[in-house]
Amino acid sequence: MIPTIIISIEAWVLSFFLFVAMILFAWLGNTAGKRWRRSDDGKESEEKSGFGSLEAGLFGLFGFVLAITFAMSGNRYETHRNVLVQESNDIGTAILRADLYPDSIRQAFRIDFKEYVEARIAYYEAQADISKIMEARAQSDQLSSKIWDRATDMSKQPGMLVPSNQMIPALNAMIDITTTREAGLKATIPDIIIISLFILALIVTFVAGFSSPGIRKKDWMIIAGFDLLTSLIIYITLDIGRPRRGLINSDVGQEAIVELRRMF
């Protein structure tokens, strides 16, 4: 999957530029409001009433979009972590069922499984490096096909019915979970939602500055604090939706994959 422009830019960079833009839009809004009031014909009370309702409505809409975006990011993070744990369990089950075979076959299976585990670890440690992701994915697909071919060949041998009946379903689960994993990674937050969130944040600060009669120096500290808090929340929202990189990642799930090394 080719990442979009929004996804390819780091979350902290987007949040930093949003913070600067919000400060700028608050100043632009206040400047425009002062000029508007100078040319007004004494209808200041009506203006305040109208902009007050508009400002409240925009803040509510902004909070609604932010809540939706955060819920989508949290759901994606939770899904990614659960898939990692489930994949670890599926691989571990398949490794254990190799013990049902005679020693020579069991050893061959374990060698293949060890390489497969290392390929899966490399896949998740690649973070957002597309070339490393593709390389690790190709290697893991090749190894899973090799393990599957070995299991199907063994199922045709006399006396291998019981171990094959146990191994084949485990391999099916191990391979099928990769489809779930890939689908989860592709289910990113649509760029249009993120762009809408940014636009709303800028409009809210502009209208807030526009409706303020005057912003004193100490008022800018409050505005900067609000903009900083908003940018921080949006950063967390973006970062939690990118479990392969950033401060909030799927360490618990990745540790479960790494723990499989102890089985060899």
Side-chain angles (χ1 to χ4, degrees), residues 10-85:
E10 295 294 335
W12 71 267
V13 175
L14 291 173
S15 301
F16 173 76
F17 279 105
L18 176 63
F19 170 73
V20 174
M22 289 178 73
I23 294 290
L24 176 61
F25 269 66
W27 177 80
L28 290 174
N30 185 250
T31 302
K34 288 179 180 178
R35 293 182 179 179
W36 179 275
R37 279 183 284 274
R38 288 197 202 105
S39 62
D40 195 22
D41 295 328
K43 299 179 181 180
E44 186 177 353
S45 61
E46 294 181 5
E47 177 188 313
K48 285 184 177 181
S49 176
F51 275 104
S53 300
L54 176 62
E55 187 176 357
L58 286 173
F59 268 102
L61 180 60
F62 173 69
F64 176 72
V65 176
L66 180 58
I68 291 177
T69 309
F70 188 85
M72 292 177 66
S73 295
N75 182 65
R76 184 168 186 261
Y77 173 82
E78 189 70 19
T79 300
H80 184 76
R81 185 177 60 179
N82 291 340
V83 167
L84 277 172
V85 175

Side-chain angles (χ1 to χ4, degrees), residues 1 7 76 137 180-189:
M1 180 187 66
I7 295 176
R76 184 168 186 261
R137 181 193 298 172
T180 304
R181 178 200 64 225
E182 295 298 332
L185 291 175
K186 292 178 181 179
T188 59
I189 301 174

